[in-house]
């Protein structure tokens, strides 16, 4: 068993798409504020870690404890830190 966050579904964004959206906001002179930009589709953190492992050429084996540990550490590193609410 790999201890990763499989119950958290996210919609990861492709950095060049976020940059293009940010540029469009600036070029259009939109008012300051919070804008949310995401790509289509969803994945959980295990899906993301497995895809990154595939892209890195790591061989996936659920039975390999060494790989399971590496994947778990890698996935924890991907998990965003909690953001504390602060007064404005």
């Amino acid at each position: 068993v790999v201890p990763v966050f499989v119950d958290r579904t996210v919609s990861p964004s492709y950095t060049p798409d976020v940059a293009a959206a940010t540029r469009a906001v600036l070029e259009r002179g939109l008012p300051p504020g919070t804008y949310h930009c995401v790509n289509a589709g969803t994945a959980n953190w295990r899906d993301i870690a497995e895809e990154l492992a595939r892209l890195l050429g790591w061989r996936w084996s659920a039975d390999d404890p060494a790989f399971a540990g590496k994947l778990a550490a890698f996935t924890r590193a991907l998990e965003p830190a909690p953001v504390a609410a602060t007064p404005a």
Side-chain angles (χ1 to χ4, degrees):
V1 175
V2 179
V4 296
F5 297 102
V6 296
D7 63 336
R8 296 185 188 173
T9 302
V10 296
S11 183
S13 296
Y14 183 56
T15 304
D17 291 346
V18 175
T22 302
R23 183 177 186 159
V25 167
L26 295 172
E27 288 177 345
R28 292 179 185 156
L30 297 177
T34 301
Y35 294 87
H36 188 73
C37 175
V38 296
N39 286 101
T42 60
N44 63 42
W45 286 110
R46 182 181 174 137
D47 296 335
I48 293 169
E50 287 178 353
E51 177 62 10
L52 289 173
R54 185 190 70 76
L55 292 170
L56 291 169
W58 296 351
R59 294 191 55 173
W60 168 255
S61 173
D63 300 325
D64 180 355
F67 184 80
K70 183 188 287 187
L71 181 61
F74 191 62
T75 304
R76 281 192 302 276
L78 293 174
E79 180 68 12
V83 177
T86 56

